[in-house]
Amino acid sequence: MNNILGLVFLFASLTSCSQKLDCTGIKEGNFVMPNDTEGTTPYKITRNGDVQKEINEGIVTSYSKIEWLNDCSYILLYDENKISLTDFQKKVNSVGGIVVEVTKVKDNCFYYTSNIKGDPPSESINGVMCKE
């Protein structure tokens, strides 16, 4: 019995000390994806709840739908009703989309890890988006 109480106390202590992420600012607004994000060039993102638009050099390059899993993670699927999908975008949609999880929030930026769903899942890509 003492071991069980000890484990419960240890678990409660560890979870109460962990940082709670405040991801309330990521669902709406205009964002910039700087060029220090792996595999990308700088571009802008406009997000309105469950809809996202990516803009590169003033041209809309993609529309996506967002399925929010919780305040800090979501699944992104390309919107085939608004754009003609590339082969890559079709493949992403066919395996269930891109899972994005916010790992850190600092100032007006949020840091994330993303994976394309599937079996096996893709390699993780780390990135940052900053609110304009």
Side-chain angles (χ1 to χ4, degrees):
M1 180 70 171
N2 285 339
N3 288 341
I4 294 173
L5 288 175
L7 287 173
V8 170
F9 178 73
L10 177 63
F11 180 72
S13 298
L14 290 174
T15 57
S16 66
C17 294
S18 64
Q19 177 190 11
K20 173 80 171 133
L21 291 175
D22 179 8
C23 300
T24 54
I26 70 169
K27 290 186 178 184
E28 305 277 334
N30 296 314
F31 301 88
V32 174
M33 181 86 66
N35 64 355
D36 61 346
T37 298
E38 295 177 29
T40 65
T41 57
Y43 60 93
K44 293 185 178 193
I45 292 174
T46 299
R47 187 177 285 163
N48 184 4
D50 60 356
V51 176
Q52 176 172 301
K53 178 171 52 172
E54 296 180 15
I55 304 162
N56 192 351
E57 296 181 7
I59 299 169
V60 175
T61 57
S62 75
Y63 289 92
S64 304
K65 297 182 238 179
I66 299 173
E67 177 187 332
W68 292 97
L69 301 172
N70 57 49
D71 285 342
C72 294
S73 55
Y74 56 91
I75 298 172
L76 185 131
L77 292 161
Y78 294 102
D79 191 344
E80 61 188 320
N81 295 322
K82 293 188 178 180
I83 57 170
S84 295
L85 300 184
T86 65
D87 288 341
F88 172 76
Q89 292 168 332
K90 289 176 188 175
K91 181 170 173 79
V92 167
N93 282 2
S94 73
V95 296
I98 301 171
V99 179
V100 180
E101 183 176 345
V102 175
T103 56
K104 178 172 101 174
V105 178
K106 183 176 180 187
D107 300 326
N108 65 333
C109 297
F110 68 92
Y111 298 78
Y112 64 88
T113 299
S114 65
N115 289 289
I116 297 174
K117 290 178 75 174
D119 187 25
S122 69
E123 182 179 321
S124 293
I125 295 177
N126 297 313
V128 61
M129 288 175 62
C130 298
K131 204 160 195 176
E132 286 188 312

